[in-house]
Amino acid sequence: MTSKRPWWGTLLMYVALAAFLFFLGFPLLWLLSASFKSTSELNSLAVNLIPADWDFSNYTTALERQNLITAAGNSLLVSIATMVITVLLSMPMAYALARLKGRLRAAGTVWILTSQVFPSILIIIPLFLVLRSINLNDTLFGLILVYVTFTLPFTLWMLQGYVAAIPTELEEAGEMDGASRVTILRTIILPLLAPGLVATAMFTFVSAWNEFFLALVLLQSPELYTLPIALRSFLGAEGQTQLGPLAAGAILATIPSLIIFSILQKKLTGGMLAGAVKG
């Protein structure tokens, strides 16, 4: 027996959905509006979402100053490298953590949970000294290693949940058919694990792309600055914030992240549908 929803219920549902989407997107809309406003309009007390006079010079100023393109390249390199290394390390470790029993699994779980307790500011000085002792301070490779170290515990915890949801009977059936362990992992586990891998990759990329504090401490050379560090330069040494170029730079900084998210989101949906069909 099915019940038909009244028209006013459907209308309320769409109104609530539209209000929620507007609430989520309002900061981005305001940022986009500020990126097209002149300095005088930004400094005025007028509150308007649509600029009175459209000013496109903020984007040219943002691209010409603070070396944003180089900083964007550094952020892209660091984020993609962190994403690839973290996913490659997380996959076998998560499988082992999900399938192992006994004290080794308990020790791994304790290590993951303990690593999430301490904030990064507590270990930033020892981390800085260690990187300097191995000549990796003020290098992008050193920053990638730090990001992998910080993101690995959470991604491992997230991915092992996906592995645990895969029935062990599928692996046992593969063994009965004579398949090797590598074949089982490649043909059975890996396709079913695809949504989890994509989710892990998305989380890792966005975390590295937006990270500010560790990059600020570990990078000293301006040519190695990542995008959040370069955007901070618009604040000015004397507290004079360049609001227009800062807003334009922030809008430009969101574009690569949105592109990566849209690509991986399609893979995530495709992987979930494939898993549903196989299930």
Side-chain angles (χ1 to χ4, degrees), residues 191-240:
L192 295 175
L193 200 57
L197 293 174
V198 174
T200 302
M202 290 167 61
F203 168 79
T204 309
F205 181 87
V206 173
S207 298
W209 183 264
N210 294 329
E211 204 285 326
F212 172 77
F213 176 69
L214 293 172
L216 177 66
V217 176
L218 299 177
L219 298 176
Q220 287 85 46
S221 302
E223 65 272 16
L224 296 178
Y225 282 174
T226 55
L227 206 48
I229 309 300
L231 290 177
R232 184 188 64 91
S233 304
F234 286 111
L235 297 179
E238 299 177 354
Q240 297 177 349

mmCIF file of all heavy atoms in Angstrom, residues 191-240:
data_model
loop_
_atom_site.group_PDB
_atom_site.id
_atom_site.type_symbol
_atom_site.label_atom_id
_atom_site.label_comp_id
_atom_site.label_asym_id
_atom_site.label_seq_id
_atom_site.Cartn_x
_atom_site.Cartn_y
_atom_site.Cartn_z
ATOM 1 N N PRO A 191 37.911 -4.192 -6.974
ATOM 2 C CA PRO A 191 36.712 -3.542 -7.556
ATOM 3 C C PRO A 191 35.668 -3.167 -6.516
ATOM 4 O O PRO A 191 35.045 -2.110 -6.616
ATOM 5 C CB PRO A 191 36.187 -4.614 -8.525
ATOM 6 C CG PRO A 191 37.370 -5.448 -8.862
ATOM 7 C CD PRO A 191 38.189 -5.497 -7.612
ATOM 8 N N LEU A 192 35.475 -4.027 -5.522
ATOM 9 C CA LEU A 192 34.494 -3.712 -4.486
ATOM 10 C C LEU A 192 34.971 -2.592 -3.570
ATOM 11 O O LEU A 192 34.163 -1.925 -2.920
ATOM 12 C CB LEU A 192 34.195 -4.968 -3.658
ATOM 13 C CG LEU A 192 33.509 -6.108 -4.412
ATOM 14 C CD1 LEU A 192 33.372 -7.331 -3.520
ATOM 15 C CD2 LEU A 192 32.132 -5.671 -4.899
ATOM 16 N N LEU A 193 36.293 -2.400 -3.521
ATOM 17 C CA LEU A 193 36.859 -1.382 -2.653
ATOM 18 C C LEU A 193 36.973 -0.021 -3.343
ATOM 19 O O LEU A 193 37.377 0.962 -2.723
ATOM 20 C CB LEU A 193 38.252 -1.842 -2.191
ATOM 21 C CG LEU A 193 38.855 -1.199 -0.940
ATOM 22 C CD1 LEU A 193 37.930 -1.367 0.249
ATOM 23 C CD2 LEU A 193 40.221 -1.796 -0.653
ATOM 24 N N ALA A 194 36.621 0.029 -4.633
ATOM 25 C CA ALA A 194 36.802 1.264 -5.413
ATOM 26 C C ALA A 194 36.119 2.483 -4.792
ATOM 27 O O ALA A 194 36.721 3.564 -4.711
ATOM 28 C CB ALA A 194 36.313 1.043 -6.848
ATOM 29 N N PRO A 195 34.844 2.400 -4.331
ATOM 30 C CA PRO A 195 34.236 3.594 -3.713
ATOM 31 C C PRO A 195 35.025 4.091 -2.502
ATOM 32 O O PRO A 195 35.171 5.301 -2.308
ATOM 33 C CB PRO A 195 32.847 3.102 -3.308
ATOM 34 C CG PRO A 195 32.570 1.963 -4.210
ATOM 35 C CD PRO A 195 33.883 1.285 -4.429
ATOM 36 N N GLY A 196 35.537 3.167 -1.693
ATOM 37 C CA GLY A 196 36.330 3.571 -0.537
ATOM 38 C C GLY A 196 37.637 4.231 -0.941
ATOM 39 O O GLY A 196 38.076 5.207 -0.315
ATOM 40 N N LEU A 197 38.277 3.712 -1.987
ATOM 41 C CA LEU A 197 39.520 4.317 -2.467
ATOM 42 C C LEU A 197 39.285 5.722 -3.004
ATOM 43 O O LEU A 197 40.091 6.627 -2.766
ATOM 44 C CB LEU A 197 40.136 3.420 -3.557
ATOM 45 C CG LEU A 197 40.639 2.047 -3.094
ATOM 46 C CD1 LEU A 197 41.082 1.211 -4.286
ATOM 47 C CD2 LEU A 197 41.779 2.202 -2.104
ATOM 48 N N VAL A 198 38.178 5.893 -3.735
ATOM 49 C CA VAL A 198 37.868 7.223 -4.262
ATOM 50 C C VAL A 198 37.572 8.197 -3.126
ATOM 51 O O VAL A 198 38.025 9.341 -3.138
ATOM 52 C CB VAL A 198 36.682 7.134 -5.239
ATOM 53 C CG1 VAL A 198 36.251 8.520 -5.677
ATOM 54 C CG2 VAL A 198 37.059 6.298 -6.450
ATOM 55 N N ALA A 199 36.796 7.751 -2.133
ATOM 56 C CA ALA A 199 36.500 8.617 -0.987
ATOM 57 C C ALA A 199 37.780 8.984 -0.244
ATOM 58 O O ALA A 199 37.963 10.134 0.181
ATOM 59 C CB ALA A 199 35.520 7.920 -0.055
ATOM 60 N N THR A 200 38.680 8.019 -0.087
ATOM 61 C CA THR A 200 39.959 8.294 0.570
ATOM 62 C C THR A 200 40.784 9.291 -0.231
ATOM 63 O O THR A 200 41.393 10.207 0.335
ATOM 64 C CB THR A 200 40.746 6.979 0.726
ATOM 65 O OG1 THR A 200 39.960 6.052 1.470
ATOM 66 C CG2 THR A 200 42.055 7.217 1.448
ATOM 67 N N ALA A 201 40.800 9.121 -1.546
ATOM 68 C CA ALA A 201 41.557 10.042 -2.394
ATOM 69 C C ALA A 201 40.993 11.462 -2.312
ATOM 70 O O ALA A 201 41.747 12.439 -2.233
ATOM 71 C CB ALA A 201 41.528 9.540 -3.842
ATOM 72 N N MET A 202 39.671 11.593 -2.314
ATOM 73 C CA MET A 202 39.047 12.920 -2.227
ATOM 74 C C MET A 202 39.392 13.590 -0.904
ATOM 75 O O MET A 202 39.742 14.777 -0.860
ATOM 76 C CB MET A 202 37.526 12.782 -2.383
ATOM 77 C CG MET A 202 37.087 12.396 -3.784
ATOM 78 S SD MET A 202 35.354 11.876 -3.889
ATOM 79 C CE MET A 202 34.529 13.352 -3.360
ATOM 80 N N PHE A 203 39.280 12.831 0.188
ATOM 81 C CA PHE A 203 39.586 13.400 1.508
ATOM 82 C C PHE A 203 41.046 13.835 1.582
ATOM 83 O O PHE A 203 41.364 14.933 2.073
ATOM 84 C CB PHE A 203 39.290 12.365 2.589
ATOM 85 C CG PHE A 203 39.825 12.734 3.938
ATOM 86 C CD1 PHE A 203 39.156 13.644 4.739
ATOM 87 C CD2 PHE A 203 41.013 12.176 4.404
ATOM 88 C CE1 PHE A 203 39.660 13.998 5.984
ATOM 89 C CE2 PHE A 203 41.525 12.523 5.640
ATOM 90 C CZ PHE A 203 40.841 13.442 6.432
ATOM 91 N N THR A 204 41.957 13.004 1.086
ATOM 92 C CA THR A 204 43.381 13.311 1.173
ATOM 93 C C THR A 204 43.743 14.527 0.342
ATOM 94 O O THR A 204 44.500 15.398 0.789
ATOM 95 C CB THR A 204 44.197 12.099 0.697
ATOM 96 O OG1 THR A 204 43.758 10.938 1.383
ATOM 97 C CG2 THR A 204 45.671 12.306 0.975
ATOM 98 N N PHE A 205 43.196 14.598 -0.868
ATOM 99 C CA PHE A 205 43.505 15.736 -1.740
ATOM 100 C C PHE A 205 43.024 17.044 -1.129
ATOM 101 O O PHE A 205 43.771 18.033 -1.083
ATOM 102 C CB PHE A 205 42.875 15.527 -3.111
ATOM 103 C CG PHE A 205 43.160 16.651 -4.076
ATOM 104 C CD1 PHE A 205 44.314 16.641 -4.838
ATOM 105 C CD2 PHE A 205 42.283 17.724 -4.197
ATOM 106 C CE1 PHE A 205 44.590 17.684 -5.710
ATOM 107 C CE2 PHE A 205 42.559 18.766 -5.066
ATOM 108 C CZ PHE A 205 43.711 18.745 -5.823
ATOM 109 N N VAL A 206 41.784 17.071 -0.670
ATOM 110 C CA VAL A 206 41.228 18.308 -0.113
ATOM 111 C C VAL A 206 41.980 18.715 1.152
ATOM 112 O O VAL A 206 42.236 19.907 1.376
ATOM 113 C CB VAL A 206 39.723 18.126 0.168
ATOM 114 C CG1 VAL A 206 39.160 19.339 0.902
ATOM 115 C CG2 VAL A 206 38.966 17.925 -1.133
ATOM 116 N N SER A 207 42.347 17.748 1.990
ATOM 117 C CA SER A 207 43.090 18.054 3.217
ATOM 118 C C SER A 207 44.435 18.702 2.898
ATOM 119 O O SER A 207 44.812 19.705 3.517
ATOM 120 C CB SER A 207 43.305 16.777 4.036
ATOM 121 O OG SER A 207 42.075 16.219 4.426
ATOM 122 N N ALA A 208 45.168 18.134 1.932
ATOM 123 C CA ALA A 208 46.473 18.692 1.575
ATOM 124 C C ALA A 208 46.330 20.033 0.859
ATOM 125 O O ALA A 208 47.142 20.940 1.049
ATOM 126 C CB ALA A 208 47.230 17.700 0.687
ATOM 127 N N TRP A 209 45.288 20.182 0.049
ATOM 128 C CA TRP A 209 45.079 21.416 -0.712
ATOM 129 C C TRP A 209 44.779 22.605 0.210
ATOM 130 O O TRP A 209 45.221 23.721 -0.031
ATOM 131 C CB TRP A 209 43.934 21.213 -1.703
ATOM 132 C CG TRP A 209 43.671 22.397 -2.582
ATOM 133 C CD1 TRP A 209 42.739 23.373 -2.378
ATOM 134 C CD2 TRP A 209 44.355 22.749 -3.792
ATOM 135 N NE1 TRP A 209 42.793 24.293 -3.385
ATOM 136 C CE2 TRP A 209 43.776 23.934 -4.268
ATOM 137 C CE3 TRP A 209 45.386 22.160 -4.518
ATOM 138 C CZ2 TRP A 209 44.204 24.556 -5.435
ATOM 139 C CZ3 TRP A 209 45.810 22.780 -5.683
ATOM 140 C CH2 TRP A 209 45.220 23.952 -6.124
ATOM 141 N N ASN A 210 44.034 22.344 1.278
ATOM 142 C CA ASN A 210 43.614 23.432 2.167
ATOM 143 C C ASN A 210 44.555 23.645 3.347
ATOM 144 O O ASN A 210 44.358 24.620 4.083
ATOM 145 C CB ASN A 210 42.205 23.150 2.705
ATOM 146 C CG ASN A 210 41.158 23.173 1.614
ATOM 147 O OD1 ASN A 210 41.288 23.903 0.631
ATOM 148 N ND2 ASN A 210 40.124 22.376 1.775
ATOM 149 N N GLU A 211 45.517 22.775 3.569
ATOM 150 C CA GLU A 211 46.345 22.856 4.778
ATOM 151 C C GLU A 211 47.194 24.128 4.782
ATOM 152 O O GLU A 211 47.783 24.507 3.770
ATOM 153 C CB GLU A 211 47.245 21.618 4.856
ATOM 154 C CG GLU A 211 47.704 21.293 6.256
ATOM 155 C CD GLU A 211 48.778 22.226 6.777
ATOM 156 O OE1 GLU A 211 49.604 22.666 5.960
ATOM 157 O OE2 GLU A 211 48.810 22.508 7.988
ATOM 158 N N PHE A 212 47.258 24.776 5.937
ATOM 159 C CA PHE A 212 47.955 26.061 6.028
ATOM 160 C C PHE A 212 49.074 26.061 7.074
ATOM 161 O O PHE A 212 50.199 26.481 6.781
ATOM 162 C CB PHE A 212 46.943 27.153 6.365
ATOM 163 C CG PHE A 212 47.557 28.487 6.663
ATOM 164 C CD1 PHE A 212 48.030 29.294 5.636
ATOM 165 C CD2 PHE A 212 47.687 28.940 7.962
ATOM 166 C CE1 PHE A 212 48.614 30.516 5.900
ATOM 167 C CE2 PHE A 212 48.270 30.167 8.244
ATOM 168 C CZ PHE A 212 48.729 30.951 7.204
ATOM 169 N N PHE A 213 48.783 25.556 8.274
ATOM 170 C CA PHE A 213 49.707 25.740 9.390
ATOM 171 C C PHE A 213 51.052 25.038 9.170
ATOM 172 O O PHE A 213 52.119 25.644 9.344
ATOM 173 C CB PHE A 213 49.050 25.233 10.684
ATOM 174 C CG PHE A 213 49.944 25.299 11.872
ATOM 175 C CD1 PHE A 213 50.320 26.525 12.407
ATOM 176 C CD2 PHE A 213 50.420 24.143 12.475
ATOM 177 C CE1 PHE A 213 51.153 26.595 13.507
ATOM 178 C CE2 PHE A 213 51.249 24.204 13.572
ATOM 179 C CZ PHE A 213 51.621 25.432 14.091
ATOM 180 N N LEU A 214 51.031 23.778 8.799
ATOM 181 C CA LEU A 214 52.274 23.028 8.615
ATOM 182 C C LEU A 214 53.107 23.624 7.476
ATOM 183 O O LEU A 214 54.337 23.737 7.594
ATOM 184 C CB LEU A 214 51.964 21.557 8.331
ATOM 185 C CG LEU A 214 51.329 20.786 9.485
ATOM 186 C CD1 LEU A 214 50.879 19.408 9.033
ATOM 187 C CD2 LEU A 214 52.309 20.664 10.647
ATOM 188 N N ALA A 215 52.451 24.001 6.393
ATOM 189 C CA ALA A 215 53.184 24.613 5.272
ATOM 190 C C ALA A 215 53.794 25.939 5.680
ATOM 191 O O ALA A 215 54.911 26.282 5.261
ATOM 192 C CB ALA A 215 52.242 24.796 4.085
ATOM 193 N N LEU A 216 53.088 26.705 6.521
ATOM 194 C CA LEU A 216 53.612 27.998 6.968
ATOM 195 C C LEU A 216 54.889 27.839 7.786
ATOM 196 O O LEU A 216 55.827 28.629 7.664
ATOM 197 C CB LEU A 216 52.543 28.717 7.800
ATOM 198 C CG LEU A 216 52.947 30.065 8.400
ATOM 199 C CD1 LEU A 216 53.177 31.081 7.289
ATOM 200 C CD2 LEU A 216 51.866 30.568 9.356
ATOM 201 N N VAL A 217 54.940 26.787 8.598
ATOM 202 C CA VAL A 217 56.108 26.577 9.466
ATOM 203 C C VAL A 217 57.253 25.921 8.706
ATOM 204 O O VAL A 217 58.425 26.288 8.892
ATOM 205 C CB VAL A 217 55.710 25.718 10.681
ATOM 206 C CG1 VAL A 217 56.934 25.396 11.540
ATOM 207 C CG2 VAL A 217 54.655 26.441 11.517
ATOM 208 N N LEU A 218 56.961 24.974 7.835
ATOM 209 C CA LEU A 218 57.997 24.148 7.225
ATOM 210 C C LEU A 218 58.578 24.734 5.938
ATOM 211 O O LEU A 218 59.636 24.299 5.501
ATOM 212 C CB LEU A 218 57.441 22.747 6.931
ATOM 213 C CG LEU A 218 56.958 21.972 8.164
ATOM 214 C CD1 LEU A 218 56.362 20.638 7.765
ATOM 215 C CD2 LEU A 218 58.108 21.763 9.146
ATOM 216 N N LEU A 219 57.879 25.686 5.316
ATOM 217 C CA LEU A 219 58.385 26.278 4.073
ATOM 218 C C LEU A 219 58.828 27.718 4.332
ATOM 219 O O LEU A 219 58.054 28.522 4.850
ATOM 220 C CB LEU A 219 57.306 26.259 2.985
ATOM 221 C CG LEU A 219 56.805 24.885 2.535
ATOM 222 C CD1 LEU A 219 55.686 25.029 1.525
ATOM 223 C CD2 LEU A 219 57.945 24.048 1.961
ATOM 224 N N GLN A 220 60.067 28.025 3.959
ATOM 225 C CA GLN A 220 60.583 29.393 4.122
ATOM 226 C C GLN A 220 60.842 30.089 2.779
ATOM 227 O O GLN A 220 60.832 31.318 2.703
ATOM 228 C CB GLN A 220 61.885 29.382 4.927
ATOM 229 C CG GLN A 220 61.710 29.096 6.406
ATOM 230 C CD GLN A 220 61.655 27.616 6.713
ATOM 231 O OE1 GLN A 220 62.478 26.852 6.199
ATOM 232 N NE2 GLN A 220 60.704 27.200 7.536
ATOM 233 N N SER A 221 61.120 29.324 1.732
ATOM 234 C CA SER A 221 61.430 29.917 0.425
ATOM 235 C C SER A 221 60.143 30.333 -0.283
ATOM 236 O O SER A 221 59.234 29.509 -0.443
ATOM 237 C CB SER A 221 62.182 28.910 -0.447
ATOM 238 O OG SER A 221 63.370 28.496 0.206
ATOM 239 N N PRO A 222 60.032 31.602 -0.714
ATOM 240 C CA PRO A 222 58.799 32.057 -1.384
ATOM 241 C C PRO A 222 58.462 31.248 -2.636
ATOM 242 O O PRO A 222 57.280 31.075 -2.941
ATOM 243 C CB PRO A 222 59.115 33.509 -1.731
ATOM 244 C CG PRO A 222 60.155 33.919 -0.743
ATOM 245 C CD PRO A 222 60.992 32.697 -0.497
ATOM 246 N N GLU A 223 59.473 30.751 -3.351
ATOM 247 C CA GLU A 223 59.175 29.991 -4.574
ATOM 248 C C GLU A 223 58.567 28.617 -4.275
ATOM 249 O O GLU A 223 58.081 27.942 -5.189
ATOM 250 C CB GLU A 223 60.433 29.828 -5.431
ATOM 251 C CG GLU A 223 61.533 29.002 -4.805
ATOM 252 C CD GLU A 223 62.476 29.854 -3.954
ATOM 253 O OE1 GLU A 223 62.106 30.995 -3.621
ATOM 254 O OE2 GLU A 223 63.573 29.371 -3.622
ATOM 255 N N LEU A 224 58.613 28.201 -3.009
ATOM 256 C CA LEU A 224 58.029 26.914 -2.631
ATOM 257 C C LEU A 224 56.681 27.067 -1.937
ATOM 258 O O LEU A 224 56.072 26.069 -1.548
ATOM 259 C CB LEU A 224 58.987 26.145 -1.699
ATOM 260 C CG LEU A 224 60.328 25.730 -2.291
ATOM 261 C CD1 LEU A 224 61.169 25.019 -1.239
ATOM 262 C CD2 LEU A 224 60.138 24.833 -3.505
ATOM 263 N N TYR A 225 56.208 28.289 -1.765
ATOM 264 C CA TYR A 225 54.948 28.501 -1.055
ATOM 265 C C TYR A 225 53.805 27.770 -1.746
ATOM 266 O O TYR A 225 53.714 27.742 -2.973
ATOM 267 C CB TYR A 225 54.609 29.984 -0.996
ATOM 268 C CG TYR A 225 55.376 30.756 0.052
ATOM 269 C CD1 TYR A 225 55.269 32.143 0.135
ATOM 270 C CD2 TYR A 225 56.210 30.106 0.957
ATOM 271 C CE1 TYR A 225 55.967 32.864 1.093
ATOM 272 C CE2 TYR A 225 56.920 30.818 1.908
ATOM 273 C CZ TYR A 225 56.800 32.191 1.973
ATOM 274 O OH TYR A 225 57.492 32.889 2.906
ATOM 275 N N THR A 226 52.922 27.206 -0.920
ATOM 276 C CA THR A 226 51.678 26.641 -1.445
ATOM 277 C C THR A 226 50.615 27.745 -1.517
ATOM 278 O O THR A 226 50.820 28.861 -1.035
ATOM 279 C CB THR A 226 51.197 25.483 -0.562
ATOM 280 O OG1 THR A 226 51.077 25.948 0.790
ATOM 281 C CG2 THR A 226 52.174 24.319 -0.609
ATOM 282 N N LEU A 227 49.463 27.403 -2.080
ATOM 283 C CA LEU A 227 48.441 28.422 -2.341
ATOM 284 C C LEU A 227 47.924 29.107 -1.070
ATOM 285 O O LEU A 227 47.777 30.343 -1.052
ATOM 286 C CB LEU A 227 47.290 27.797 -3.128
ATOM 287 C CG LEU A 227 46.467 28.719 -4.012
ATOM 288 C CD1 LEU A 227 47.339 29.594 -4.873
ATOM 289 C CD2 LEU A 227 45.522 27.906 -4.866
ATOM 290 N N PRO A 228 47.616 28.385 0.013
ATOM 291 C CA PRO A 228 47.159 29.099 1.231
ATOM 292 C C PRO A 228 48.195 30.083 1.757
ATOM 293 O O PRO A 228 47.823 31.149 2.250
ATOM 294 C CB PRO A 228 46.924 27.949 2.228
ATOM 295 C CG PRO A 228 46.630 26.762 1.381
ATOM 296 C CD PRO A 228 47.495 26.927 0.174
ATOM 297 N N ILE A 229 49.476 29.772 1.649
ATOM 298 C CA ILE A 229 50.517 30.693 2.113
ATOM 299 C C ILE A 229 50.579 31.925 1.215
ATOM 300 O O ILE A 229 50.740 33.056 1.677
ATOM 301 C CB ILE A 229 51.890 29.997 2.143
ATOM 302 C CG1 ILE A 229 51.792 28.680 2.915
ATOM 303 C CG2 ILE A 229 52.937 30.897 2.790
ATOM 304 C CD1 ILE A 229 51.343 28.845 4.337
ATOM 305 N N ALA A 230 50.451 31.704 -0.094
ATOM 306 C CA ALA A 230 50.472 32.837 -1.022
ATOM 307 C C ALA A 230 49.266 33.751 -0.811
ATOM 308 O O ALA A 230 49.390 34.977 -0.881
ATOM 309 C CB ALA A 230 50.502 32.321 -2.462
ATOM 310 N N LEU A 231 48.102 33.176 -0.535
ATOM 311 C CA LEU A 231 46.911 33.995 -0.288
ATOM 312 C C LEU A 231 47.060 34.811 0.985
ATOM 313 O O LEU A 231 46.526 35.920 1.085
ATOM 314 C CB LEU A 231 45.672 33.094 -0.200
ATOM 315 C CG LEU A 231 45.230 32.443 -1.511
ATOM 316 C CD1 LEU A 231 44.051 31.521 -1.263
ATOM 317 C CD2 LEU A 231 44.847 33.506 -2.529
ATOM 318 N N ARG A 232 47.782 34.286 1.959
ATOM 319 C CA ARG A 232 47.988 35.031 3.207
ATOM 320 C C ARG A 232 48.743 36.330 2.948
ATOM 321 O O ARG A 232 48.584 37.321 3.692
ATOM 322 C CB ARG A 232 48.765 34.171 4.200
ATOM 323 C CG ARG A 232 48.975 34.795 5.575
ATOM 324 C CD ARG A 232 49.917 33.949 6.386
ATOM 325 N NE ARG A 232 51.256 33.907 5.796
ATOM 326 C CZ ARG A 232 52.234 34.745 6.092
ATOM 327 N NH1 ARG A 232 52.035 35.678 6.989
ATOM 328 N NH2 ARG A 232 53.413 34.643 5.496
ATOM 329 N N SER A 233 49.557 36.355 1.898
ATOM 330 C CA SER A 233 50.339 37.551 1.595
ATOM 331 C C SER A 233 49.453 38.749 1.259
ATOM 332 O O SER A 233 49.902 39.888 1.364
ATOM 333 C CB SER A 233 51.286 37.270 0.422
ATOM 334 O OG SER A 233 52.110 36.165 0.700
ATOM 335 N N PHE A 234 48.197 38.514 0.855
ATOM 336 C CA PHE A 234 47.290 39.630 0.559
ATOM 337 C C PHE A 234 46.838 40.353 1.820
ATOM 338 O O PHE A 234 46.227 41.414 1.728
ATOM 339 C CB PHE A 234 46.066 39.123 -0.199
ATOM 340 C CG PHE A 234 46.358 38.764 -1.629
ATOM 341 C CD1 PHE A 234 46.317 37.445 -2.050
ATOM 342 C CD2 PHE A 234 46.673 39.756 -2.547
ATOM 343 C CE1 PHE A 234 46.585 37.117 -3.367
ATOM 344 C CE2 PHE A 234 46.947 39.431 -3.872
ATOM 345 C CZ PHE A 234 46.907 38.101 -4.283
ATOM 346 N N LEU A 235 47.087 39.765 2.982
ATOM 347 C CA LEU A 235 46.710 40.425 4.229
ATOM 348 C C LEU A 235 47.601 41.623 4.508
ATOM 349 O O LEU A 235 47.213 42.536 5.227
ATOM 350 C CB LEU A 235 46.771 39.434 5.401
ATOM 351 C CG LEU A 235 45.804 38.251 5.306
ATOM 352 C CD1 LEU A 235 45.984 37.338 6.504
ATOM 353 C CD2 LEU A 235 44.358 38.745 5.248
ATOM 354 N N GLY A 236 48.833 41.612 3.986
ATOM 355 C CA GLY A 236 49.722 42.750 4.161
ATOM 356 C C GLY A 236 50.458 42.701 5.485
ATOM 357 O O GLY A 236 49.941 42.228 6.498
ATOM 358 N N ALA A 237 51.692 43.219 5.476
ATOM 359 C CA ALA A 237 52.511 43.189 6.684
ATOM 360 C C ALA A 237 52.023 44.177 7.730
ATOM 361 O O ALA A 237 52.261 44.023 8.919
ATOM 362 C CB ALA A 237 53.971 43.488 6.329
ATOM 363 N N GLU A 238 51.314 45.230 7.304
ATOM 364 C CA GLU A 238 50.848 46.253 8.243
ATOM 365 C C GLU A 238 49.344 46.173 8.478
ATOM 366 O O GLU A 238 48.712 47.150 8.886
ATOM 367 C CB GLU A 238 51.216 47.640 7.700
ATOM 368 C CG GLU A 238 52.722 47.826 7.535
ATOM 369 C CD GLU A 238 53.057 49.176 6.927
ATOM 370 O OE1 GLU A 238 52.095 49.889 6.547
ATOM 371 O OE2 GLU A 238 54.241 49.510 6.848
ATOM 372 N N GLY A 239 48.779 45.015 8.218
ATOM 373 C CA GLY A 239 47.358 44.819 8.477
ATOM 374 C C GLY A 239 46.440 45.407 7.423
ATOM 375 O O GLY A 239 45.235 45.500 7.643
ATOM 376 N N GLN A 240 46.976 45.835 6.280
ATOM 377 C CA GLN A 240 46.159 46.387 5.211
ATOM 378 C C GLN A 240 45.763 45.268 4.254
ATOM 379 O O GLN A 240 46.536 44.849 3.403
ATOM 380 C CB GLN A 240 46.920 47.480 4.465
ATOM 381 C CG GLN A 240 47.275 48.675 5.349
ATOM 382 C CD GLN A 240 48.095 49.714 4.617
ATOM 383 O OE1 GLN A 240 48.561 49.469 3.523
ATOM 384 N NE2 GLN A 240 48.286 50.865 5.233
#
